Coordinates of all heavy atoms in Angstrom, one line a residue:
G1475 N 82.9 -23.1 85.6 CA 83.0 -21.9 84.7 C 82.8 -22.2 83.2 O 82.8 -21.3 82.4
K1476 N 82.7 -23.5 82.9 CA 82.5 -23.8 81.4 C 81.2 -24.5 81.2 O 80.6 -25.0 82.1 CB 83.7 -24.7 81.0 CG 85.1 -24.0 81.1 CD 86.1 -25.0 80.6 CE 87.5 -24.3 80.6 NZ 88.6 -25.2 80.1
E1477 N 80.7 -24.6 80.0 CA 79.6 -25.2 79.5 C 79.8 -26.7 79.5 O 80.9 -27.1 79.3 CB 79.1 -24.7 78.2 CG 78.6 -23.2 78.3 CD 78.0 -22.8 77.0 OE1 78.2 -23.5 75.9 OE2 77.3 -21.7 76.9
R1478 N 78.8 -27.4 79.7 CA 78.8 -28.9 79.5 C 79.1 -29.2 78.1 O 78.5 -28.6 77.2 CB 77.4 -29.5 80.0 CG 77.4 -31.0 80.0 CD 76.0 -31.5 80.3 NE 75.1 -31.0 79.4 CZ 73.7 -31.0 79.6 NH1 73.2 -31.2 80.8 NH2 72.9 -30.5 78.6
E1479 N 79.9 -30.2 77.9 CA 80.2 -30.6 76.6 C 80.2 -32.2 76.4 O 80.4 -32.9 77.3 CB 81.6 -30.1 76.1 CG 82.8 -30.7 76.9 CD 84.1 -30.3 76.4 OE1 84.2 -30.0 75.2 OE2 85.1 -30.3 77.2
G1480 N 79.8 -32.6 75.2 CA 79.8 -34.0 75.0 C 81.2 -34.5 74.7 O 81.9 -33.9 74.0
V1481 N 81.6 -35.6 75.3 CA 82.9 -36.2 75.2 C 82.9 -37.3 74.1 O 83.7 -37.4 73.2 CB 83.5 -36.6 76.5 CG1 84.8 -37.3 76.3 CG2 83.6 -35.4 77.5
A1482 N 82.0 -38.2 74.3 CA 82.0 -39.4 73.5 C 80.6 -40.0 73.5 O 79.9 -39.9 74.5 CB 83.0 -40.5 73.9
Y1483 N 80.2 -40.6 72.3 CA 78.8 -41.1 72.2 C 79.0 -42.5 71.5 O 79.8 -42.7 70.7 CB 77.9 -40.2 71.3 CG 77.8 -38.8 71.8 CD1 78.7 -37.9 71.4 CD2 76.7 -38.5 72.5 CE1 78.6 -36.5 71.9 CE2 76.5 -37.1 72.9 CZ 77.5 -36.2 72.7 OH 77.3 -34.9 73.1
I1484 N 78.0 -43.4 72.0 CA 77.9 -44.7 71.4 C 76.4 -45.1 71.3 O 75.6 -44.9 72.2 CB 78.7 -45.7 72.3 CG1 78.7 -47.1 71.5 CG2 78.1 -45.8 73.6 CD1 79.6 -48.1 72.1
S1485 N 76.1 -45.5 70.0 CA 74.7 -45.9 69.8 C 74.3 -47.1 70.4 O 75.1 -48.0 70.9 CB 74.5 -46.0 68.2 OG 75.2 -47.0 67.7
S1486 N 73.0 -47.4 70.5 CA 72.4 -48.6 71.2 C 72.9 -49.9 70.5 O 73.1 -50.8 71.2 CB 70.9 -48.5 71.1 OG 70.5 -48.4 69.8
H1487 N 73.2 -49.8 69.2 CA 73.7 -51.0 68.5 C 75.2 -51.1 68.5 O 75.7 -52.0 67.9 CB 73.1 -51.0 67.1 CG 73.2 -49.7 66.4 ND1 74.3 -49.0 66.2 CD2 72.1 -49.0 65.9 CE1 74.0 -47.9 65.5 NE2 72.6 -47.8 65.3
N1488 N 75.8 -50.1 69.1 CA 77.3 -50.0 69.2 C 78.0 -49.8 67.8 O 79.3 -50.0 67.8 CB 77.9 -51.3 69.8 CG 77.5 -51.5 71.3 OD1 77.1 -50.5 72.0 ND2 77.6 -52.7 71.8
I1489 N 77.3 -49.5 66.9 CA 77.9 -49.2 65.5 C 78.4 -47.8 65.4 O 79.5 -47.6 64.9 CB 76.9 -49.6 64.4 CG1 76.5 -51.1 64.4 CG2 77.4 -49.2 63.1 CD1 75.4 -51.5 63.4
T1490 N 77.6 -46.9 65.8 CA 78.0 -45.5 65.7 C 78.7 -45.0 66.9 O 78.2 -45.1 68.0 CB 76.8 -44.6 65.4 OG1 76.1 -45.1 64.3 CG2 77.2 -43.1 65.2
I1491 N 79.9 -44.5 66.9 CA 80.7 -44.0 67.9 C 81.3 -42.7 67.5 O 82.0 -42.6 66.4 CB 81.8 -45.0 68.4 CG1 81.3 -46.3 68.9 CG2 82.7 -44.3 69.4 CD1 82.3 -47.4 69.2
T1492 N 81.1 -41.7 68.3 CA 81.7 -40.3 68.0 C 82.4 -39.8 69.2 O 82.1 -40.1 70.3 CB 80.6 -39.3 67.5 OG1 79.6 -39.2 68.5 CG2 79.9 -39.9 66.3
Y1493 N 83.4 -39.0 68.9 CA 84.2 -38.3 69.9 C 84.4 -36.8 69.6 O 84.3 -36.4 68.5 CB 85.6 -38.8 70.0 CG 85.7 -40.3 70.4 CD1 85.7 -41.3 69.3 CD2 85.7 -40.7 71.7 CE1 85.8 -42.7 69.7 CE2 85.7 -42.1 72.0 CZ 85.7 -43.0 71.0 OH 85.8 -44.4 71.3
A1494 N 84.4 -36.1 70.8 CA 84.9 -34.6 70.6 C 86.3 -34.6 70.0 O 87.1 -35.4 70.4 CB 84.7 -33.9 71.9
D1495 N 86.5 -33.6 69.2 CA 87.8 -33.4 68.6 C 88.9 -33.4 69.7 O 90.1 -33.8 69.5 CB 87.9 -32.2 67.7 CG 87.1 -32.4 66.4 OD1 86.8 -33.5 66.0 OD2 86.8 -31.4 65.9
S1496 N 88.6 -32.8 70.9 CA 89.6 -32.6 71.8 C 90.0 -34.0 72.5 O 91.1 -33.9 73.1 CB 89.0 -31.7 72.9 OG 87.9 -32.1 73.5
V1497 N 89.3 -35.0 72.4 CA 89.6 -36.2 73.0 C 89.9 -37.3 72.0 O 90.3 -38.4 72.4 CB 88.5 -36.7 74.1 CG1 88.3 -35.6 75.0 CG2 87.3 -37.1 73.3
K1498 N 89.7 -37.1 70.7 CA 89.8 -38.1 69.8 C 91.2 -38.6 69.7 O 92.2 -37.8 69.7 CB 89.4 -37.5 68.3 CG 89.3 -38.5 67.3 CD 88.7 -37.9 66.0 CE 87.4 -37.3 66.2 NZ 86.8 -36.7 65.0
G1499 N 91.3 -40.0 69.7 CA 92.6 -40.6 69.7 C 93.2 -40.9 71.1 O 94.2 -41.6 71.2
R1500 N 92.5 -40.3 72.1 CA 93.0 -40.5 73.5 C 92.0 -41.2 74.4 O 92.4 -41.9 75.2 CB 93.3 -39.1 74.1 CG 94.4 -38.3 73.5 CD 94.8 -37.1 74.3 NE 93.6 -36.2 74.4 CZ 93.1 -35.7 75.5 NH1 93.6 -36.3 76.7 NH2 92.1 -34.9 75.6
F1501 N 90.7 -41.0 74.0 CA 89.6 -41.6 74.8 C 88.9 -42.7 74.0 O 88.8 -42.5 72.7 CB 88.6 -40.6 75.3 CG 89.0 -39.5 76.3 CD1 90.4 -39.5 76.7 CD2 88.1 -38.7 76.9 CE1 90.7 -38.5 77.6 CE2 88.5 -37.7 77.7 CZ 89.8 -37.7 78.2
T1502 N 88.4 -43.7 74.7 CA 87.7 -44.7 74.0 C 86.5 -45.0 74.8 O 86.5 -45.4 76.0 CB 88.5 -46.0 73.8 OG1 89.7 -45.8 73.1 CG2 87.7 -47.1 73.1
I1503 N 85.3 -44.9 74.2 CA 84.0 -45.2 74.8 C 83.7 -46.7 74.4 O 83.9 -47.2 73.3 CB 82.9 -44.3 74.4 CG1 81.6 -44.5 75.3 CG2 82.6 -44.3 73.0 CD1 80.6 -43.5 75.1
S1504 N 83.1 -47.4 75.3 CA 82.7 -48.9 75.1 C 81.5 -49.1 75.9 O 81.3 -48.6 77.0 CB 83.8 -49.8 75.3 OG 84.2 -49.8 76.6
K1505 N 80.7 -50.1 75.4 CA 79.5 -50.5 76.2 C 79.4 -52.0 76.2 O 79.6 -52.6 75.2 CB 78.3 -49.9 75.4 CG 76.9 -50.2 76.1 CD 75.8 -49.4 75.5 CE 75.6 -49.6 74.0 NZ 74.5 -48.8 73.5
D1506 N 79.2 -52.5 77.4 CA 79.0 -53.9 77.6 C 77.5 -54.1 78.0 O 77.1 -54.0 79.2 CB 79.9 -54.4 78.8 CG 79.9 -55.9 78.9 OD1 78.9 -56.6 78.5 OD2 80.8 -56.4 79.6
S1507 N 76.8 -54.5 77.0 CA 75.3 -54.6 77.2 C 75.0 -55.7 78.2 O 73.9 -55.8 78.8 CB 74.6 -54.8 75.9 OG 74.7 -53.6 75.1
A1508 N 75.8 -56.8 78.1 CA 75.5 -58.0 79.0 C 75.7 -57.7 80.4 O 74.9 -58.1 81.3 CB 76.5 -59.1 78.6
Q1509 N 76.6 -56.7 80.8 CA 76.8 -56.3 82.1 C 76.1 -55.0 82.4 O 76.1 -54.5 83.6 CB 78.3 -56.1 82.4 CG 79.1 -57.4 82.3 CD 78.8 -58.4 83.3 OE1 78.4 -58.1 84.4 NE2 78.7 -59.7 82.9
N1510 N 75.5 -54.4 81.4 CA 74.9 -53.1 81.5 C 75.8 -52.1 82.1 O 75.4 -51.3 83.0 CB 73.6 -53.2 82.4 CG 72.4 -52.6 81.7 OD1 72.2 -52.7 80.5 ND2 71.5 -52.1 82.5
T1511 N 76.9 -51.9 81.5 CA 77.9 -51.0 81.9 C 78.4 -50.1 80.7 O 78.6 -50.7 79.6 CB 79.1 -51.5 82.7 OG1 79.7 -52.6 81.9 CG2 78.6 -52.3 83.9

């Protein structure tokens, strides 16, 4: 019943990371390029 929303984003170079205000401070996004995860 709700619209899709972005939770967290991470750039290809891992430098830019952004979070939705609703999850900021609680969620952490990370990328392991070596493991492709």
Side-chain angles (χ1 to χ4, degrees):
K1476 297 183 179 180
E1477 294 185 346
R1478 183 183 65 200
E1479 64 174 336
V1481 176
Y1483 301 85
I1484 184 167
S1485 64
S1486 59
H1487 43 61
N1488 293 342
I1489 295 177
T1490 302
I1491 298 176
T1492 62
Y1493 298 93
D1495 288 340
S1496 60
V1497 307
K1498 192 172 298 182
R1500 299 188 297 119
F1501 291 9
T1502 302
I1503 188 172
S1504 61
K1505 181 169 62 178
D1506 186 340
S1507 295
Q1509 298 296 322
N1510 229 34
T1511 58

